[in-house]
Each structure stands twice: as C-alpha cells, then as structure tokens.
C-alpha cells in the first residue's frame, strides 16, 4: 500500500492536510453522542459495544488489506508488545477508565481530567522526541484545556472530586495520551492502517475477554443495537482513527496533534444543543472561542 507517502495536494502542505484530518477526526469523535445515546436508551452495556466496534473495525481493515495489499498484515514479533499496548491502553483502557470515571465523578470533572491528556503528550513528546516547546504551543495548550473546562461546566462552580475520581480521571488521561505516544513510535515501523488494524484488534480481543456472555448476547437480542453499533464503528472509530493516525505520521508533532483533537468536547456540546435541545450556556460559548483560538495558534 502507499499509505506512507506524504500528501501533496497542490498548494497545501502535509501540515495543512494533517491539521484538517485531526480536526475532522475530533469532529467525528464529538458526534459519537448520537449513536451512544441511542444505545444507552436501548439499555446496552459498554463492553459488548466495544467488542463489536473494535473487532468490527479491525475486520473492515482486514478486508481492505485482503483486497488491496496483504503485505499490510505483516509485522515483526518484537513489534507486537507495543501494538498490543497501543490497543489495550490507548483504545480499550481509555474507554473503560472514562466510563468508570463518569460513574465515580461528575461528567464535568471526568471530562476536565480527560483533557489533561494533551499536556501529558506535550511533556513526553518534548522529553522523548525533543519536539519544540514553543510559547505558541504552550498558549494553545492552555487555551484548549481552558476551553474544555468551560464546556465541561467549570463556570457553574459545583465541581467536586474524590481521590478515586482523581486517580480514575488521570488514568483516563494517561491511557488517552498513550495512543498518540505509542502510535508515533509504531508509525516509524508501519503505515497508519496497519498500526490502526492491530490497535483495534487487540482492543477488541481485550474487550471480548472481559465481556460477560450474557451481555454479548444483548447485541443480537436487542432490537436496533447492531445498526447503531455499526454506525459508531464506522463513523466514531474507523474513520476518525484512520484520519488521526495518518495525521500523526504527517505532522511529526504529537503535542500539536493532541491539542488539535480538543475540538471533540466542543463539537459534542454543540451537537447536544442542535440535536438534543440542550441550552447554549456561557461556558459552551467561551469554550468554543478558546478551542478555536488554540486551533488558530497551531494552524
């Protein structure tokens, strides 16, 4: 496959293409509230959704490889530990911890702690890959975090946090950041689609092991569950992860990628206003301005 080629789209540089891909990925992740709310309304637990979403995504990529380039399956044995960590931590672990964090803490606190992840990525990228830590990047990082905090409800002044909630929230941020950090290393070995295939495969297998049989059966017995999960698989998993992982290979700056992906909670908030009639609060408006400001700084 030719997925490692740098994009050359007329006057647009690979950085422009990568930024657009990350913003598109963040937008898709922000829209996953549509199928996830529908599934919650059907009474579906989280684990069977993860099984079908991640294994289904891996199966879709496997079909693509079979039809186009079977060499895309090939990885070295020594590369499997990092690829498995990428899937088990960055995909499965993040989802499980975030789900638990939302149960222990308020949704606002869980979201704010999750979006400390770009700070983690910036720190490790500076230490490991010597990415430049510029004033512009630090300003964008601060704006993105502030924007996510506003969207999560920082202005209402009713945030509370337990030790368990703090640990779960920081664990969510670490696992969220690990996808970008592990992914950058994996992309020095293989193209984006191969890396994503193995990440989803290991995440799906991990979810399958953890998922009780009776919960897995709900996918078949619950009317409407499979179409909604397939929608989530395609538009909230495969497509955004393909865009984000490819952008990582093109951008050569993990911190910048993580900051740009902070459009996700803003999109989710706007979707709630448009699709579910949620009120447009001052926090959402300020959050939108802050995150857009971060994007402009990193253009």
């Amino acid at each position: 496959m030719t997925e490692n080629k740098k994009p050359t789209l007329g006057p647009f540089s690979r950085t422009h293409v990568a930024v657009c891909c990350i913003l598109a990925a963040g937008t898709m992740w922000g829209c996953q509230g549509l199928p996830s709310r529908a599934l919650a309304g059907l009474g579906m637990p989280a684990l069977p959704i993860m099984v079908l979403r991640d294994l289904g995504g891996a199966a879709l990529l496997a079909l693509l490889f079979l039809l186009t380039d079977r060499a895309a399956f090939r990885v070295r044995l020594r590369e499997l530990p990092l690829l498995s960590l990428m899937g088990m931590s960055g995909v499965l672990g993040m989802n499980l911890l975030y789900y638990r964090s939302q149960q222990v803490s308020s949704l606002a606190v869980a979201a704010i702690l999750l979006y400390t992840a770009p700070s983690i990525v910036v720190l490790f990228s500076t230490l490991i890959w010597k990415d430049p830590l510029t004033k512009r990047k630090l300003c964008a990082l601060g704006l993105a975090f502030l924007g996510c905090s506003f969207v999560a409800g920082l202005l209402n002044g009713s945030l509370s946090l337990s030790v368990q909630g703090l640990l779960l929230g920081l664990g969510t941020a670490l696992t969220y950041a690990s996808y970008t950090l592990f992914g950058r290393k994996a992309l020095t070995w293989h193209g984006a689609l191969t890396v994503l295939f193995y990440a989803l495969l290991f995440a799906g297998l991990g979810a399958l092991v953890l998922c009780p049989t009776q919960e897995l059966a709900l996918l078949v017995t619950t009317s409407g569950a499979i179409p909604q999960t397939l929608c989530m698989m395609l538009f909230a998993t495969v497509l955004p992860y393909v865009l984000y992982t490819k952008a990582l290979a093109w951008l050569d700056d993990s911190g910048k990628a993580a900051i740009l992906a902070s459009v996700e909670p803003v999109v989710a908030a706007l979707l709630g206003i448009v699709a579910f009639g949620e009120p447009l609060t001052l926090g959402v408006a300020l959050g939108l301005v802050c995150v857009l400001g971060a994007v402009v700084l990193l253009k």
Side-chain angles (χ1 to χ4, degrees):
M1 300 179 76
T2 59
E3 55 184 300
N4 277 323
K5 287 185 177 180
K6 308 300 184 186
T8 54
L9 302 178
F12 299 102
S13 69
R14 66 172 184 169
T15 300
H16 287 116
V17 176
V19 167
C20 290
C21 285
I22 293 171
L23 294 177
T27 299
M28 290 183 188
W29 281 324
C31 291
Q32 66 182 310
L34 289 172
S36 65
R37 284 200 181 190
L39 288 165
L42 295 173
M44 285 296 301
L47 273 172
I49 296 171
M50 293 179 197
V51 172
L52 183 57
R53 184 195 67 184
D54 296 338
L55 285 183
L60 194 62
L61 289 173
L63 179 61
L64 176 65
F65 295 165
L66 288 171
L67 294 175
T68 58
D69 184 4
R70 298 186 181 187
F73 286 112
R74 295 174 188 164
V75 295
R76 300 178 184 88
L77 191 61
R78 63 180 175 82
E79 296 166 350
L80 288 177
L82 186 136
L83 291 170
S84 64
L85 273 174
M86 188 178 172
M88 299 288 275
S89 172
V91 181
L92 177 61
M94 189 277 290
N95 281 292
L96 290 175
L97 286 174
Y98 191 48
Y99 179 73
R100 179 60 181 156
S101 178
Q102 289 176 319
Q103 292 179 320
V104 171
S105 306
S106 68
L107 296 181
V109 167
I112 290 172
L113 289 173
L114 170 64
Y115 279 92
T116 59
S119 303
I120 297 171
V121 174
V122 168
L123 173 62
F124 279 95
S125 296
T126 302
L127 293 174
I128 298 172
W129 290 294
K130 310 303 180 185
D131 286 348
L133 189 59
T134 63
K135 290 181 180 179
R136 182 182 290 265
K137 186 185 289 186
L138 286 173
C139 288
L141 181 63
L143 277 174
F145 179 71
L146 189 61
C148 294
S149 299
F150 281 144
V151 170
L154 182 65
L155 290 179
N156 62 27
S158 60
L159 303 179
S160 61
L161 182 63
S162 65
V163 174
Q164 184 184 13
L166 175 63
L167 293 175
L168 283 168
L170 292 178
T172 306
L174 281 167
T175 51
Y176 182 71
S178 71
Y179 184 89
T180 298
L181 295 170
F182 291 145
R184 181 165 175 178
K185 175 61 178 177
L187 287 166
T188 64
W189 301 332
H190 300 287
L193 295 184
T194 296
V195 170
L196 178 58
F197 166 73
Y198 282 100
L200 291 178
L201 178 64
F202 283 115
L205 291 175
L208 183 62
V209 170
L210 295 173
C211 186
T213 306
Q214 61 270 25
E215 288 189 6
L216 200 58
L218 290 174
L219 285 171
V220 179
T221 59
T222 304
S223 176
I226 289 182
Q228 292 291 349
T229 305
L230 290 176
C231 178
M232 181 179 283
M233 177 195 78
L234 183 60
F235 296 107
T237 304
V238 176
L239 287 178
Y241 271 112
V242 165
L243 290 171
Y244 186 79
T245 308
K246 277 185 169 291
L248 276 180
W250 296 335
L251 198 57
D252 297 326
D253 191 329
S254 309
K256 187 173 181 178
I259 296 169
L260 289 169
S262 298
V263 298
E264 177 188 347
V266 176
V267 172
L270 293 176
L271 180 68
I273 294 167
V274 174
F276 302 109
E278 296 174 359
L280 175 59
T281 64
L282 177 61
V284 171
L286 288 175
L288 176 61
V289 171
C290 288
V291 172
L292 288 178
V295 171
V296 170
L297 280 173
L298 295 175
K299 64 181 179 179

